[in-house]
Amino acid sequence: MADLPPDEDLIGAPAAEEPSLTRRTISGLQWTYAQTGVNAVLQLAVAAVLARLLTPEAFGLVAIGDLTLRFVNYIARAGIAQAVVQKPDLDERDVRAAFLDSTGLSIVFFGVAWLIAPAAAALFEAPDAVPVLRWMALSLPLYGIGAVADGLLRRDLRFRAVALRDIASYVLGYGIVAMIGAAQGWGVWALVAATLTQTGSKSVLAFIARPHAVRPTIDRAAHRAVLGFGSRVSLISFFEFLGGELDTIAVGRFAGTSALGLYNRAYLIVRLPVYHLTTSLSKVLFPAFSAVQRETERLRSAYLGAVRVTAALVIPTAAGIAAAREEIVRVILGDQWLDAIPVLPWIAVASALGMITHFAALVAEAQAALNRKIVLAISKVVVLAALLAGASLQDELWAYGAALAGAALWVHLGYLLLIGRLLQMPARTPVLAYAPAVLAGAIVAGAISLARLPLVADHVNDVVVLVVEVMVGAIALPLMVRFGPLTAVRDEIGLRLHNAGLTSGSGRRARWARRLVGDPTDR
């Protein structure tokens, strides 16, 4: 706890100076993680059902469409939502300019996506992807009309509204439309309809929750203010997208549509819990980081705290997924997806590294250190391309996952050096922050592996084995927090809640907070 003075709040500020920001941040975390839990359960349930109603080829076609649209989307979005969140002083002219830019660009790039659909399908040698991609391209303008409202909700730290909107849109899109369509034999079009329904409803609900001025403006200064920051964020996001999706491109191009479907589902299984655990935190912390962007000490404290907590969640989770990979695939996806098993551990390693690195990227973005982020993003593309070229010679799905993990390690090391410069600390400091989580992850994975051995030897049902593995992991991780290498994380959370005034009093929230982390004043 040496990095956190005892009188500092959740994001590193003295508690007495800025309690409203602290409480709004904590409230945002509560609602965002509530949404994460609900969405994770829903997505696992939907994935399990759809995997049995649809073929790997259907998921492969949608993956091609999604990949192509993301290629276009990072340019179409132009970082406008992030600019709305980050801009220190935002007025109505900026909002009107942002809405015009977002809507206009999304319509233009809908046309671009429509035109390049045949070329994208030819790249993957999948002509059936052309109509799929063209219909999915409608999601670009559907997102564009709601981007500014979404940014304003996040800027205001109104994460209750964001959480309820995201849950409702997912239920409508995938819980209703996709399920009905798949059951009725729509095939790949069930997934296309779900994508459009979810995107459109998210934008509508965002605007209802946070209406704003939509009258166009030609104020050049306002457009420059939005696009000046946003365009560089978009460029970084584009290269990060390339670095994050080159593996998917390589699998689809060299291994085929069916293999891409397998890889896509394996990626989903790992990324679903790991991604939600981290992005839930990052959605709240980016506005908080931006609020203290000029105060190095507070920002450093906030960053290290985020890394400790995130690593304690993500690394043991990824390790547990790797240890239970066979039962996860058999139970969630079914026997037709068994070829996805060998790639899961590599994707788990890459995901854990990527999620921890993500917070360093957030700090760099909050401080507008965008040129350095561009260099790192480009370097990842180059390194990953070289590793994937070697993987294509192996003709094994796991090799693509190994290439992804290697590139994630490269970028992580680069961000350690960058964050050291930005926050004026040695590069080893963040490593020491998450090192206990690595040990905890090894212990959790070992416990799961030991528990499954006798069950597998006795040919126990896969569902029972998976339930036991989940229970072992669910018990082992809290023990690591209470008695093992993660006790510092418990103290970290406890002190921040205490300084925010959330462990004092006799209310239900205070009692639960003390039960979770104890009383920091006793330690």
Side-chain angles (χ1 to χ4, degrees):
M1 299 301 298
D3 299 299
L4 180 67
D7 62 338
E8 292 195 354
D9 69 6
L10 182 70
I11 60 168
E17 292 180 9
E18 209 168 58
S20 61
L21 180 57
T22 299
R23 289 183 176 275
R24 283 188 296 155
T25 302
I26 293 175
S27 176
L29 289 173
Q30 291 173 331
W31 276 103
T32 306
Y33 273 107
Q35 174 219 330
T36 294
V38 173
N39 273 357
V41 172
L42 289 174
Q43 289 182 29
L44 283 175
V46 168
V49 174
L50 293 181
R52 287 160 173 80
L53 294 175
L54 302 173
T55 64
E57 287 77 12
F59 287 101
L61 288 172
V62 170
I64 291 171
D66 181 65
L67 180 64
T68 306
L69 287 180
R70 291 180 66 187
F71 181 86
V72 175
N73 210 12
Y74 283 112
I75 305 174
R77 294 187 180 188
I80 291 170
Q82 292 97 318
V84 169
V85 174
Q86 192 272 346
K87 194 173 187 297
D89 302 307
L90 190 76
D91 58 29
E92 183 180 318
R93 291 179 306 165
D94 297 320
V95 172
R96 290 164 53 196
F99 181 75
L100 177 60
D101 294 336
S102 177
T103 304
L105 285 172
S106 66
I107 293 173
V108 168
F109 281 95
F110 163 72
V112 172
W114 180 278
L115 293 174
I116 69 172
L123 174 64
F124 294 99
E125 299 179 352
D128 291 343
V130 174
V132 171
L133 172 55
R134 283 178 166 170
W135 276 99
M136 290 180 67
L138 285 170
S139 63
L140 295 175
L142 289 176
Y143 169 83
I145 61 175
V148 174
D150 180 68
L152 290 171
L153 285 172
R154 299 183 189 281
R155 180 185 180 89
D156 297 340
L157 296 176
R158 291 180 55 192
F159 290 99
R160 177 178 181 272
V162 173
L164 294 176
R165 177 207 63 178
D166 288 352
I167 292 171
S169 62
Y170 184 82
V171 169
L172 182 60
Y174 286 89
I176 297 177
V177 173
M179 291 292 197
I180 293 175
Q184 293 296 316
W186 295 1
V188 67
W189 297 105
L191 300 175
V192 174
T195 298
L196 298 179
T197 302
Q198 182 189 26
T199 305
S201 59
K202 283 180 72 171
S203 289
V204 171
L205 293 173
F207 192 81
I208 291 173
R210 183 57 169 88
H212 58 79
V214 298
R215 184 162 53 91
T217 178
I218 59 173
D219 188 316
R220 293 183 180 181
H223 286 285
R224 281 197 303 269
V226 172
L227 293 177
F229 178 87
S231 60
R232 287 190 293 163
V233 170
S234 183
L235 181 62
I236 292 167
S237 297
F238 174 72
F239 282 112
E240 289 177 342
F241 155 74
L242 286 180
E245 299 296 341
L246 274 181
D247 56 324
T248 303
I249 296 172
V251 173
R253 180 67 179 87
F254 299 114
T257 304
S258 181
L260 178 58
L262 291 168
Y263 190 84
N264 176 264
R265 293 298 91 185
Y267 198 82
L268 172 69
I269 289 175
V270 176
R271 291 279 289 185
L272 184 60
V274 173
Y275 175 82
H276 279 308
L277 283 171
T278 304
T279 55
S280 297
L281 190 58
S282 68
K283 287 174 184 177
V284 179
L285 288 185
F286 176 58
F289 285 169
S290 296
V292 295
Q293 58 186 281
R294 296 185 180 94
E295 302 175 57
T296 301
E297 185 176 349
R298 295 176 66 187
L299 191 54
R300 180 170 58 243
S301 176
Y303 164 73
L304 291 174
V307 168
R308 288 191 192 96
V309 175
T310 301
L313 292 171
V314 167
I315 294 178
T317 299
I321 291 172
R325 58 190 179 276
E326 291 191 25
E327 288 71 34
I328 289 174
V329 171
R330 291 180 185 275
V331 173
I332 295 179
L333 299 181
D335 289 343
Q336 66 173 329
W337 302 86
L338 296 183
D339 290 340
I341 292 174
V343 77
L344 275 180
W346 294 105
I347 295 177
V349 171
S351 297
L353 281 170
M355 293 302 102
I356 295 171
T357 305
H358 179 64
F359 290 97
L362 279 181
V363 170
E365 188 171 316
Q367 289 200 318
L370 301 182
N371 292 337
R372 297 174 186 178
K373 286 193 68 177
I374 292 174
V375 172
L376 285 172
I378 294 174
S379 74
K380 181 181 179 180
V381 172
V382 174
V383 171
L384 182 57
L387 294 175
L388 288 171
S392 66
L393 302 177
Q394 296 289 327
D395 196 28
E396 295 284 349
L397 201 58
W398 67 264
Y400 295 98
L404 183 65
L409 177 60
W410 168 268
V411 174
H412 181 69
L413 294 175
Y415 267 107
L416 287 179
L417 296 176
L418 174 57
I419 204 70
R421 295 191 186 98
L422 292 176
L423 299 184
Q424 302 172 18
M425 63 182 178
R428 67 176 181 275
T429 302
V431 177
L432 294 176
Y434 65 73
V438 176
L439 176 58
I443 295 172
V444 169
I448 291 174
S449 299
L450 289 175
R452 75 179 292 272
L453 285 178
L455 300 176
V456 173
D458 290 341
H459 304 288
V460 175
N461 181 273
D462 289 329
V463 175
V464 176
V465 177
L466 182 58
V467 170
V468 171
E469 290 170 334
V470 171
M471 291 177 62
V472 169
I475 294 171
L477 183 56
L479 288 176
M480 294 300 99
V481 173
R482 185 68 178 173
F483 304 108
L486 298 179
T487 53
V489 174
R490 181 198 63 185
D491 295 343
E492 174 91 25
I493 297 173
L495 183 58
R496 292 178 186 273
L497 292 177
H498 174 73
N499 287 339
L502 297 179
T503 59
S504 58
S506 58
R508 183 174 60 180
R509 178 183 294 182
R511 291 198 303 271
W512 274 104
R514 289 195 298 270
R515 187 175 301 174
L516 176 66
V517 298
D519 187 349
T521 60
D522 294 338
R523 293 193 288 270

